[in-house]
Amino acid sequence: MNNKFDSIDHIGIAVKSLDEIVKIFGLISEIENFEIEEVPEQKVKVAMFRCGESNIEFLMPTSPESPIQKFLEKRGNSIHHIAFKVKNLEGKLEKLKKDGVKLIDSKPRVGANNKKIAFIHPKSTGGILIELCEKRREHE
Ligand code: ZN
């Protein structure tokens, strides 16, 4: 199966205040519809703005132990990761492992918007955090 990076699914941006960014981004983008979702597995609250084929994902930590919290303390509000769509996430992860790429998630987990996601370790990407995601099928 073709497992090239498809399109950009979303850009993840870490923010200290979701309320604040939703107001600012809503105003400048003129995108009125967005979804707010809590993802307990990742200790974050997410606001998703659909932007054409892609999304802008604002992430706010819901706990001091959230990795996003540590990121914000170092970098302030800024781009946290870029997520690419793939068609077969399990297969892609197997391929990356074979190629010696370090992964944060060796198995897919559940992310926002009911997607299967996995992160590649920044040690293998020159420090850039890359997420892979696949839309979940109905029966999963
Ligand atoms: Zn993401």
Side-chain angles (χ1 to χ4, degrees):
M1 190 191 261
N2 161 24
N3 233 339
K4 263 191 251 180
F5 282 5
D6 222 329
S7 49
I8 293 176
D9 184 81
H10 63 272
I11 296 176
I13 302 172
V15 294
K16 288 175 187 156
S17 163
L18 214 51
D19 284 349
E20 212 171 273
I21 202 69
V22 157
K23 271 188 218 137
I24 296 167
F25 193 76
L27 179 75
I28 61 170
S29 69
E30 299 185 45
I31 299 169
E32 282 157 6
N33 296 326
F34 59 90
E35 280 165 40
I36 294 201
E37 187 186 337
E38 205 166 322
V39 188
E41 293 89 352
Q42 294 174 65
K43 299 189 176 77
V44 288
K45 207 167 159 188
V46 172
M48 250 328 166
F49 285 79
R50 181 133 203 93
C51 192
E53 287 290 291
S54 308
N55 297 279
I56 302 295
E57 177 189 75
F58 293 106
L59 304 145
M60 181 183 79
T62 52
S63 147
E65 287 98 65
S66 169
I68 297 295
Q69 179 62 37
K70 285 167 198 115
F71 177 88
L72 279 170
E73 281 163 18
K74 273 193 227 150
R75 312 264 287 266
N77 286 4
S78 52
I79 292 177
H80 179 258
H81 64 271
I82 300 180
F84 295 92
K85 272 183 207 138
V86 293
K87 292 193 178 75
N88 169 8
L89 183 54
E90 276 93 351
K92 184 68 177 176
L93 294 174
E94 287 311 313
K95 167 85 167 61
L96 289 170
K97 271 184 253 177
K98 257 187 229 147
D99 290 342
V101 175
K102 239 184 132 189
L103 303 173
I104 292 176
D105 305 298
S106 53
K107 291 251 147 52
R109 56 184 159 115
V110 178
N113 253 339
N114 198 34
K115 276 179 279 199
K116 293 195 286 185
I117 66 158
F119 282 92
I120 301 177
H121 202 288
K123 272 190 182 149
S124 285
T125 59
I128 297 156
L129 188 56
I130 294 178
E131 177 184 343
L132 306 173
C133 55
E134 181 189 338
K135 209 173 180 302
R136 282 170 115 197
R137 285 169 286 264
E138 294 304 315
H139 63 271
E140 285 183 275

